[in-house]
Every structure is written in structure tokens, then in C-alpha cells.
Amino acid sequence: DDGESGTTGCTVAVKTQAKLLMLVEVTSPFDDVPSIRITFETEEGERHDYPLRLPIVATCFMEPVNLDPGAFMQRWKSLEGPDRECQEVMRLPPNSNGIDEAYMDRVRGIIVEGLKFGKCQGVDPTPWTVSGAATFRTGAKDTNGNNINVGCLVRVEANPQANAFRVTTRTLHPLCSRAVKNVSLVSIKLAA
């Protein structure tokens, strides 16, 4: 109990545990992980305060959308513009094993399974590019009572000679574009 919000805390006996089940619903795009503050006091009156970052990123709220090449490129072109596109080039460390087809298979798996983007096969004539589409689902309602959703597109282009990736995201919402780009970059680095 923080004494400020009017909520009642709980008592946890010595050498026991308590679990807190959280249901999270997103109401708008975000690009930083949410946080929570856990505060408690021991029987001796010693107060502890732990600010924690929750393991929740924007792609947790994605629903995959599978698009054929024509539909993907039509949507890609319709989302051009500085407030809609976010792009960054990332070089792998010099001591990495480099980018090969096995690495690209891992990147495809990350985009489709990890980040929940739909497969958009046939968009790219090269094995060095991965394209995906998804819908960012929110619990917020529009004026008609429908949930507000944001369409998201991502392209990951590898340059094996430069040992680098270019990640480009396009959405109607700048925070959503930045969030998808950031999560993609971190995930690709971890695939090395």
C-alpha cells in the first residue's frame, strides 16, 4: 500500500512469496517499456522501493497480417512520409560470424514468430530481405465504438558485405513506427 492511491496492500509472511497477476491493455501506441513501482515495508519498519520495467514491448500487441506482394507494396507506398517511416542501419560487431542465409532464417523467424508479423512472401526477390505486416491492436475506442488499430509494415534488408542491416518501419503513427523499429533492431542483434 503506497498510502496515496487509496488501494489496499497485502501482507506477505516471512519466507513466503506473493504473486501479482497483471492484465495489460494498450490504449495507444508507445515506444518505451512500461514500468511499475513495487514498494513494501518490513516488520522492522524498513521501507523498500523498487522501480521495475515490465517485459512488455509494442509487438506484444500485434496481430499478424499475411499480404501478397502487390498488396504489401501498395500499402508500403501509401505510408511514405517522415511522420510515418522510421529507419535505422545497424552494423554487426566485427567479431560476429557475419550475415549468411542461416542468419536470415533466424531473422525471418524473429519477425514472424517473435514480433508477430505476418509473412509477406514474394515481396522481395532476394534472400537478404524480410518483409512483414501486422496490426497493432489497442483497447481504445473510436467515436463509433470500434477498437483503434494501427497497420504496421516492416522491412529488414541485409547487406552481407557490409555486415549490416537496414530496418525500415511504416505505420500511420510515429510512435508505433519507432517502437517496431527499436524492437526489431534489438531482436536482430540477439540473433547473432
Side-chain angles (χ1 to χ4, degrees), residues 55-76:
I56 299 171
V57 293
T59 57
C60 292
F61 303 95
M62 295 295 183
E63 183 176 300
V65 176
N66 295 319
L67 297 175
D68 63 56
F72 181 90
M73 291 313 295
Q74 180 182 8
R75 291 182 189 188
W76 185 260

mmCIF file of all heavy atoms in Angstrom, residues 55-76:
data_model
loop_
_atom_site.group_PDB
_atom_site.id
_atom_site.type_symbol
_atom_site.label_atom_id
_atom_site.label_comp_id
_atom_site.label_asym_id
_atom_site.label_seq_id
_atom_site.Cartn_x
_atom_site.Cartn_y
_atom_site.Cartn_z
ATOM 1 N N PRO A 55 8.401 -6.457 -18.880
ATOM 2 C CA PRO A 55 8.845 -7.057 -20.149
ATOM 3 C C PRO A 55 7.742 -7.006 -21.204
ATOM 4 O O PRO A 55 7.270 -8.020 -21.710
ATOM 5 C CB PRO A 55 9.190 -8.488 -19.734
ATOM 6 C CG PRO A 55 8.259 -8.766 -18.599
ATOM 7 C CD PRO A 55 8.109 -7.456 -17.860
ATOM 8 N N ILE A 56 7.308 -5.785 -21.514
ATOM 9 C CA ILE A 56 6.224 -5.577 -22.474
ATOM 10 C C ILE A 56 6.697 -4.573 -23.524
ATOM 11 O O ILE A 56 7.111 -3.472 -23.185
ATOM 12 C CB ILE A 56 4.964 -5.032 -21.777
ATOM 13 C CG1 ILE A 56 4.468 -6.024 -20.720
ATOM 14 C CG2 ILE A 56 3.881 -4.723 -22.789
ATOM 15 C CD1 ILE A 56 3.368 -5.471 -19.838
ATOM 16 N N VAL A 57 6.648 -4.983 -24.778
ATOM 17 C CA VAL A 57 7.004 -4.085 -25.880
ATOM 18 C C VAL A 57 5.807 -4.003 -26.829
ATOM 19 O O VAL A 57 4.868 -4.803 -26.746
ATOM 20 C CB VAL A 57 8.262 -4.573 -26.630
ATOM 21 C CG1 VAL A 57 9.489 -4.487 -25.736
ATOM 22 C CG2 VAL A 57 8.082 -5.991 -27.153
ATOM 23 N N ALA A 58 5.844 -3.043 -27.721
ATOM 24 C CA ALA A 58 4.704 -2.802 -28.617
ATOM 25 C C ALA A 58 4.309 -4.034 -29.412
ATOM 26 O O ALA A 58 3.117 -4.270 -29.654
ATOM 27 C CB ALA A 58 5.017 -1.639 -29.550
ATOM 28 N N THR A 59 5.276 -4.850 -29.806
ATOM 29 C CA THR A 59 4.946 -6.008 -30.635
ATOM 30 C C THR A 59 4.170 -7.076 -29.875
ATOM 31 O O THR A 59 3.636 -7.993 -30.497
ATOM 32 C CB THR A 59 6.212 -6.604 -31.277
ATOM 33 O OG1 THR A 59 7.139 -6.944 -30.253
ATOM 34 C CG2 THR A 59 6.843 -5.630 -32.256
ATOM 35 N N CYS A 60 4.051 -6.956 -28.555
ATOM 36 C CA CYS A 60 3.197 -7.875 -27.786
ATOM 37 C C CYS A 60 1.735 -7.724 -28.188
ATOM 38 O O CYS A 60 0.924 -8.612 -27.930
ATOM 39 C CB CYS A 60 3.334 -7.613 -26.284
ATOM 40 S SG CYS A 60 4.926 -8.028 -25.579
ATOM 41 N N PHE A 61 1.393 -6.594 -28.793
ATOM 42 C CA PHE A 61 0.008 -6.290 -29.129
ATOM 43 C C PHE A 61 -0.261 -6.366 -30.633
ATOM 44 O O PHE A 61 -1.224 -5.806 -31.126
ATOM 45 C CB PHE A 61 -0.360 -4.899 -28.583
ATOM 46 C CG PHE A 61 -0.142 -4.797 -27.103
ATOM 47 C CD1 PHE A 61 1.038 -4.289 -26.593
ATOM 48 C CD2 PHE A 61 -1.101 -5.245 -26.215
ATOM 49 C CE1 PHE A 61 1.263 -4.221 -25.232
ATOM 50 C CE2 PHE A 61 -0.890 -5.182 -24.851
ATOM 51 C CZ PHE A 61 0.288 -4.670 -24.359
ATOM 52 N N MET A 62 0.612 -7.086 -31.346
ATOM 53 C CA MET A 62 0.466 -7.224 -32.794
ATOM 54 C C MET A 62 -0.376 -8.444 -33.146
ATOM 55 O O MET A 62 -0.363 -9.450 -32.447
ATOM 56 C CB MET A 62 1.831 -7.388 -33.468
ATOM 57 C CG MET A 62 2.740 -6.191 -33.370
ATOM 58 S SD MET A 62 2.072 -4.792 -34.255
ATOM 59 C CE MET A 62 3.389 -3.628 -34.038
ATOM 60 N N GLU A 63 -1.072 -8.314 -34.252
ATOM 61 C CA GLU A 63 -1.788 -9.439 -34.853
ATOM 62 C C GLU A 63 -1.246 -9.578 -36.274
ATOM 63 O O GLU A 63 -1.288 -8.613 -37.042
ATOM 64 C CB GLU A 63 -3.283 -9.177 -34.880
ATOM 65 C CG GLU A 63 -4.079 -10.336 -35.436
ATOM 66 C CD GLU A 63 -5.568 -10.057 -35.362
ATOM 67 O OE1 GLU A 63 -6.078 -9.844 -34.250
ATOM 68 O OE2 GLU A 63 -6.209 -10.034 -36.435
ATOM 69 N N PRO A 64 -0.720 -10.760 -36.646
ATOM 70 C CA PRO A 64 -0.127 -10.931 -37.973
ATOM 71 C C PRO A 64 -1.124 -10.706 -39.107
ATOM 72 O O PRO A 64 -2.307 -11.045 -38.983
ATOM 73 C CB PRO A 64 0.338 -12.388 -37.973
ATOM 74 C CG PRO A 64 0.307 -12.827 -36.555
ATOM 75 C CD PRO A 64 -0.687 -11.975 -35.847
ATOM 76 N N VAL A 65 -0.637 -10.130 -40.196
ATOM 77 C CA VAL A 65 -1.416 -9.947 -41.415
ATOM 78 C C VAL A 65 -0.568 -10.472 -42.567
ATOM 79 O O VAL A 65 0.552 -9.997 -42.775
ATOM 80 C CB VAL A 65 -1.760 -8.453 -41.659
ATOM 81 C CG1 VAL A 65 -2.482 -8.280 -42.989
ATOM 82 C CG2 VAL A 65 -2.581 -7.894 -40.516
ATOM 83 N N ASN A 66 -1.061 -11.475 -43.273
ATOM 84 C CA ASN A 66 -0.343 -12.006 -44.428
ATOM 85 C C ASN A 66 -0.805 -11.274 -45.680
ATOM 86 O O ASN A 66 -1.998 -11.226 -45.971
ATOM 87 C CB ASN A 66 -0.599 -13.511 -44.577
ATOM 88 C CG ASN A 66 -0.038 -14.293 -43.409
ATOM 89 O OD1 ASN A 66 1.053 -14.019 -42.933
ATOM 90 N ND2 ASN A 66 -0.792 -15.258 -42.917
ATOM 91 N N LEU A 67 0.145 -10.676 -46.392
ATOM 92 C CA LEU A 67 -0.170 -9.920 -47.607
ATOM 93 C C LEU A 67 0.582 -10.501 -48.793
ATOM 94 O O LEU A 67 1.736 -10.923 -48.662
ATOM 95 C CB LEU A 67 0.233 -8.452 -47.446
ATOM 96 C CG LEU A 67 -0.480 -7.641 -46.362
ATOM 97 C CD1 LEU A 67 0.135 -6.245 -46.267
ATOM 98 C CD2 LEU A 67 -1.969 -7.562 -46.635
ATOM 99 N N ASP A 68 -0.056 -10.472 -49.953
ATOM 100 C CA ASP A 68 0.651 -10.860 -51.170
ATOM 101 C C ASP A 68 1.530 -9.682 -51.593
ATOM 102 O O ASP A 68 1.359 -8.567 -51.094
ATOM 103 C CB ASP A 68 -0.330 -11.279 -52.277
ATOM 104 C CG ASP A 68 -1.247 -10.157 -52.724
ATOM 105 O OD1 ASP A 68 -0.735 -9.083 -53.123
ATOM 106 O OD2 ASP A 68 -2.480 -10.346 -52.681
ATOM 107 N N PRO A 69 2.466 -9.906 -52.490
ATOM 108 C CA PRO A 69 3.408 -8.837 -52.859
ATOM 109 C C PRO A 69 2.742 -7.543 -53.328
ATOM 110 O O PRO A 69 3.154 -6.451 -52.947
ATOM 111 C CB PRO A 69 4.246 -9.463 -53.977
ATOM 112 C CG PRO A 69 4.181 -10.926 -53.725
ATOM 113 C CD PRO A 69 2.813 -11.174 -53.151
ATOM 114 N N GLY A 70 1.697 -7.645 -54.150
ATOM 115 C CA GLY A 70 1.040 -6.445 -54.663
ATOM 116 C C GLY A 70 0.394 -5.628 -53.550
ATOM 117 O O GLY A 70 0.526 -4.399 -53.503
ATOM 118 N N ALA A 71 -0.306 -6.299 -52.631
ATOM 119 C CA ALA A 71 -0.972 -5.605 -51.515
ATOM 120 C C ALA A 71 0.064 -4.982 -50.583
ATOM 121 O O ALA A 71 -0.128 -3.855 -50.107
ATOM 122 C CB ALA A 71 -1.872 -6.572 -50.759
ATOM 123 N N PHE A 72 1.163 -5.714 -50.327
ATOM 124 C CA PHE A 72 2.195 -5.171 -49.449
ATOM 125 C C PHE A 72 2.781 -3.898 -50.043
ATOM 126 O O PHE A 72 2.882 -2.878 -49.359
ATOM 127 C CB PHE A 72 3.315 -6.196 -49.198
ATOM 128 C CG PHE A 72 4.386 -5.673 -48.270
ATOM 129 C CD1 PHE A 72 4.280 -5.869 -46.902
ATOM 130 C CD2 PHE A 72 5.483 -4.971 -48.760
ATOM 131 C CE1 PHE A 72 5.258 -5.381 -46.047
ATOM 132 C CE2 PHE A 72 6.453 -4.479 -47.904
ATOM 133 C CZ PHE A 72 6.343 -4.695 -46.543
ATOM 134 N N MET A 73 3.170 -3.938 -51.311
ATOM 135 C CA MET A 73 3.810 -2.771 -51.933
ATOM 136 C C MET A 73 2.836 -1.590 -52.053
ATOM 137 O O MET A 73 3.247 -0.438 -51.892
ATOM 138 C CB MET A 73 4.400 -3.138 -53.295
ATOM 139 C CG MET A 73 5.603 -4.078 -53.197
ATOM 140 S SD MET A 73 6.866 -3.616 -51.971
ATOM 141 C CE MET A 73 7.472 -2.084 -52.636
ATOM 142 N N GLN A 74 1.566 -1.863 -52.286
ATOM 143 C CA GLN A 74 0.577 -0.790 -52.345
ATOM 144 C C GLN A 74 0.484 -0.083 -50.989
ATOM 145 O O GLN A 74 0.496 1.139 -50.904
ATOM 146 C CB GLN A 74 -0.780 -1.351 -52.748
ATOM 147 C CG GLN A 74 -1.867 -0.292 -52.834
ATOM 148 C CD GLN A 74 -3.219 -0.892 -53.182
ATOM 149 O OE1 GLN A 74 -3.393 -2.102 -53.226
ATOM 150 N NE2 GLN A 74 -4.179 -0.021 -53.443
ATOM 151 N N ARG A 75 0.425 -0.866 -49.917
ATOM 152 C CA ARG A 75 0.365 -0.269 -48.574
ATOM 153 C C ARG A 75 1.676 0.418 -48.219
ATOM 154 O O ARG A 75 1.678 1.460 -47.575
ATOM 155 C CB ARG A 75 0.016 -1.344 -47.541
ATOM 156 C CG ARG A 75 -1.402 -1.827 -47.687
ATOM 157 C CD ARG A 75 -1.777 -2.831 -46.654
ATOM 158 N NE ARG A 75 -3.075 -3.409 -46.961
ATOM 159 C CZ ARG A 75 -3.727 -4.210 -46.160
ATOM 160 N NH1 ARG A 75 -3.231 -4.539 -44.995
ATOM 161 N NH2 ARG A 75 -4.899 -4.702 -46.514
ATOM 162 N N TRP A 76 2.791 -0.181 -48.625
ATOM 163 C CA TRP A 76 4.104 0.400 -48.341
ATOM 164 C C TRP A 76 4.200 1.807 -48.950
ATOM 165 O O TRP A 76 4.613 2.758 -48.295
ATOM 166 C CB TRP A 76 5.200 -0.521 -48.886
ATOM 167 C CG TRP A 76 6.588 -0.093 -48.552
ATOM 168 C CD1 TRP A 76 7.457 0.570 -49.366
ATOM 169 C CD2 TRP A 76 7.263 -0.290 -47.311
ATOM 170 N NE1 TRP A 76 8.641 0.788 -48.712
ATOM 171 C CE2 TRP A 76 8.560 0.268 -47.443
ATOM 172 C CE3 TRP A 76 6.922 -0.894 -46.107
ATOM 173 C CZ2 TRP A 76 9.494 0.247 -46.416
ATOM 174 C CZ3 TRP A 76 7.859 -0.922 -45.081
ATOM 175 C CH2 TRP A 76 9.121 -0.345 -45.244
#
